[in-house]
Amino acid sequence: LRLDVLNRFLVLFASLFGLLVAVYSIDYMRGRSRLREYYPYLLITIGAANGALVANNWLLLLGVWGLVLVTMFLLATIGSVDASPAKAMASAAKSMIILMASDTALILGVGLIFALTGSMTINQASLATSGAAPVAAFVLIAVGALAKAGAMPMHSWIPDMAEAAPTSVMALLPASLDKLLGIYLLARIVLDVFQVSMGLNLFLMIVGAVTIVAAVVMAMVQHDLRKLLSFHAVSQVGYMVLGIGTGTPIGIAGGLFHMLNHAMYKTGLFLTAGAVERRAGTMDIARLGGLGRAMPVTFAAFAACALAISGIPPLNGFVSKWMVYQALVEAGIGRYWLFLVAAMFGSALTVASFVKVAHGVFLGEMPRGLNGVSEVGPAMRFAPAVLATLCVVLGIAAQVPLARFIGPAVGMAFPSFPDALAVGGLWSPTLGTGLLLLSLLLGYALYLLSRPGRVRVVSPYIGGETAGEGSSDTLSTGYGRLHGVADTRVLGTEFYDSIRRLPALSGLYDRGESGAFDIQRIAKVVWPIGRALSAAHSGRLSSYVSWVVWGVLILLVIVWLV
């Protein structure tokens, strides 16, 4: 075991996320079956994740890493309230297959490191990626780390799991612990194990940029709140990988800080989604709306986390994204401008997606079937409120984690709070917060001074008719409800549907939703081989002995020829 400046604060936050999810689950999981399994699996997962963070031996790391996978499978099989047992088992099995395949790559990479160094101690390896074996070892371990974090193309298990697993499980694993483990391992091999070449850095940057854009484009057109959040969980991994891929200290620091920030706001977003599910009974955005008035605490927590993931100052997501942008400029804007454009474009689409969610779920008009919805209980309000508060605090006081934990890990000296972060560009979280608050106050004062004294309320008209009169259009009016007209609300799901229908993108969307880009489909290629090997296992000892003899003879021939 080894505890250093990097993993000790990750252990702290991993335990905090586990605690918050456990408290949240008191209300969220009440009345569900298999609770005697749920809480032990939850605690084992937290313990195994902490074990992976402090492990300094490759075998120990592989053991607890695999234990997290097993408990994730068991937790996913419990299933969400609207998922059949078959669907829950299928999504859990898919997660297990993809992550087991990536973990096999991780094991092979560790085997190569042992063959090259003769040591299983993680911090004793220092390999230059100048030959085929070190490069293969780096890529294999990176595959294991990227699949755990959910980067493309090893991402498809996350959206599938989001539709079938309990939302609390999604908040704990794909949103927080899996991200911490995957990106921590990637950062660890870049900082301590390998001397990464420019080519491998470019490989990571390509993976990061593609993940950012492709996943957020998929998120924009989703109608299920859980699936939309899951694609954003994939997209945000791209910023972490892109920052680490720059190979610069500020880029690696930005990637690590974004890893921590993402775990906060994405866990908070899944927990607020679970609160909506608990009260409204659905995650379909088309069947939601107007919940901000009925669930003010949940809405406030959602708003803070949504602004953070969108990179809006002065929240924490802005600071880490700004650091990744700055790293791309330092690495060479002339060479890497396309990656910078992809990162900024992804942020813009993230804002657009959460405008859709905010309108479709919390703003707009409440459907008639949700009139009795009220705020969730204290246990389900507590966890999102804590995480939303952290998003604000670590945005205003970003210097604290950067100076005390992340900076020393990457060899950078960040200024202490409340000094400005002047790392290639000036940003003062504290001063920026003050100026933003001042501008908002001035804007509100101008609004109060300029608004008219009397307001006239009229029904909206379309084409000369009051909206909703004998029609089934999608504009919501009180008139329609009072006169028994079909539900005529403005649905959040309508936002960006025109993008879905663009000729250049519709085919890609269709193929993506049909699973054409799902890496699990590779299994169909090797399936006949597996069937043949299964058939060869006859259970007869004589057959197995003959295989061993022939195998030894083949190995002797190979050794003699070499």
Side-chain angles (χ1 to χ4, degrees):
L1 302 178
R2 177 176 176 236
L3 198 65
D4 58 21
V5 69
L6 177 58
N7 60 14
R8 71 185 181 191
F9 93 95
L10 291 181
V11 167
L12 173 66
F13 278 98
S15 302
L16 173 64
F17 297 138
L19 172 63
L20 292 176
V21 171
V23 172
Y24 178 90
S25 299
I26 295 171
D27 277 354
Y28 178 75
M29 295 295 293
R30 181 176 287 125
R32 300 282 303 276
S33 60
R34 297 178 62 185
L35 287 184
R36 291 190 177 185
E37 299 173 52
Y38 176 81
Y39 287 105
Y41 295 157
L42 203 69
L43 296 175
I44 293 170
T45 301
I46 299 166
N50 284 335
L53 290 171
V54 300
N56 195 35
N57 179 278
W58 285 112
L59 288 178
L60 175 60
L61 173 68
L62 293 173
V64 290
W65 188 277
L67 183 57
V68 173
L69 175 58
V70 172
T71 55
M72 183 191 73
F73 172 81
L74 296 171
L75 285 167
T77 59
I78 293 175
S80 60
V81 292
D82 60 344
S84 65
K87 184 176 181 180
M89 182 60 72
S91 70
K94 180 175 183 176
S95 304
M96 178 70 83
I97 291 170
I98 292 176
L99 292 179
M100 282 180 64
S102 64
D103 287 355
T104 302
L106 175 59
I107 293 169
L108 293 174
V110 169
L112 283 175
I113 288 179
F114 179 72
L116 294 169
T117 64
S119 173
M120 294 297 287
T121 304
I122 295 176
N123 69 331
Q124 288 183 356
S126 181
L127 296 170
T129 52
S130 56
V135 169
F138 177 87
V139 171
L140 288 168
I141 296 176
V143 166
L146 293 171
K148 177 71 81 174
M152 286 187 168
M154 290 83 69
H155 69 289
S156 58
W157 62 276
I158 296 179
D160 276 34
M161 186 175 170
E163 291 184 297
T167 306
S168 57
V169 174
M170 291 299 299
L172 179 67
L173 283 162
S176 58
L177 295 187
D178 282 342
K179 296 292 183 293
L180 294 181
L181 293 180
I183 299 302
Y184 168 76
L185 178 59
L186 183 64
R188 183 63 83 188
I189 62 174
V190 168
L191 291 170
D192 295 345
V193 179
F194 294 95
Q195 301 165 26
V196 184
S197 65
M198 185 178 295
L200 290 176
N201 279 330
L202 184 61
F203 160 72
L204 292 178
M205 293 171 72
I206 292 172
V207 171
V210 171
T211 299
I212 290 171
V213 177
V216 76
V217 168
M218 286 296 297
M220 292 182 69
V221 299
Q222 300 302 319
H223 292 185
D224 185 282
L225 181 57
R226 295 165 298 189
K227 200 164 183 180
L228 183 146
L229 293 178
S230 70
F231 274 111
H232 278 295
V234 174
S235 176
Q236 295 299 304
V237 175
Y239 290 96
M240 310 169 205
V241 178
L242 185 59
I244 294 173
T246 63
T248 62
I250 186 175
I252 298 173
L256 289 171
F257 194 29
H258 200 70
M259 168 195 70
L260 176 62
N261 293 336
H262 173 272
M264 291 178 193
Y265 53 65
K266 183 55 68 175
T267 302
L269 288 169
F270 270 111
L271 294 183
T272 56
V276 169
E277 174 197 17
R278 184 73 172 178
R279 282 293 185 254
T282 181
M283 289 285 202
D284 185 353
I285 298 175
R287 297 168 60 190
L288 298 169
L291 296 180
R293 294 180 293 275
M295 306 175 70
V297 176
T298 300
F299 176 46
F302 164 83
C305 294
L307 291 171
I309 193 175
S310 301
I312 305 299
L315 287 93
N316 57 352
F318 168 78
V319 182
S320 52
K321 286 186 177 182
W322 171 76
M323 293 172 66
V324 173
Y325 301 157
Q326 184 60 41
L328 290 168
V329 173
E330 285 190 8
I333 188 65
R335 289 179 297 172
Y336 301 133
W337 64 270
L338 188 59
F339 297 113
L340 181 60
V341 170
M344 299 181 74
F345 182 60
S347 290
L349 295 186
T350 301
V351 175
S353 293
F354 280 96
V355 168
K356 165 184 172 176
V357 176
H359 173 85
V361 177
F362 293 101
L363 303 176
E365 191 167 356
M366 184 181 292
R368 281 167 279 180
L370 299 181
N371 289 332
V373 169
S374 60
E375 186 61 89
V376 291
M380 292 183 70
R381 293 198 305 265
F382 174 73
V386 170
L387 293 167
T389 303
L390 285 173
C391 288
V392 177
V393 171
L394 291 188
I396 298 172
Q399 302 94 324
V400 175
L402 289 173
R404 295 196 175 186
F405 303 114
I406 298 175
V410 300
M412 286 192 70
F414 286 96
S416 59
F417 179 82
D419 295 334
L421 293 173
V423 186
L426 181 64
W427 169 251
S428 175
T430 46
L431 178 62
T433 303
L435 293 174
L436 284 168
L437 290 175
L438 179 61
S439 65
L440 289 173
L441 289 174
L442 290 174
Y444 185 64
L446 289 172
Y447 163 74
L448 292 177
L449 292 173
S450 61
R451 69 176 182 174
R454 297 179 61 187
V455 178
R456 185 167 62 99
V457 179
V458 298
S459 298
Y461 281 78
I462 295 180
E465 294 184 354
T466 303
E469 280 189 56
S471 67
S472 59
D473 60 68
T474 58
L475 273 179
S476 174
T477 63
Y479 179 94
R481 289 202 312 277
L482 291 173
H483 292 78
V485 179
D487 194 0
T488 55
R489 299 174 299 118
V490 177
L491 306 179
T493 51
E494 297 168 346
F495 295 3
Y496 320 126
D497 274 355
S498 57
I499 298 174
R500 174 70 174 79
R501 294 190 294 268
L502 288 174
L505 295 178
S506 61
L508 292 175
Y509 274 121
D510 291 338
R511 294 180 66 190
E513 291 175 358
S514 66
F517 305 117
D518 193 339
I519 199 169
Q520 190 189 15
R521 291 201 169 193
I522 297 175
K524 293 185 177 181
V525 178
V526 299
W527 184 254
I529 300 174
R531 292 291 298 271
L533 292 175
S534 296
H537 285 73
S538 60
R540 291 163 49 180
L541 180 61
S542 58
S543 298
Y544 298 154
V545 171
S546 65
W547 295 349
V548 172
V549 172
W550 280 106
V552 170
L553 290 174
I554 292 170
L555 287 175
L556 290 174
V557 171
I558 292 173
V559 171
W560 179 73
L561 292 174
V562 173

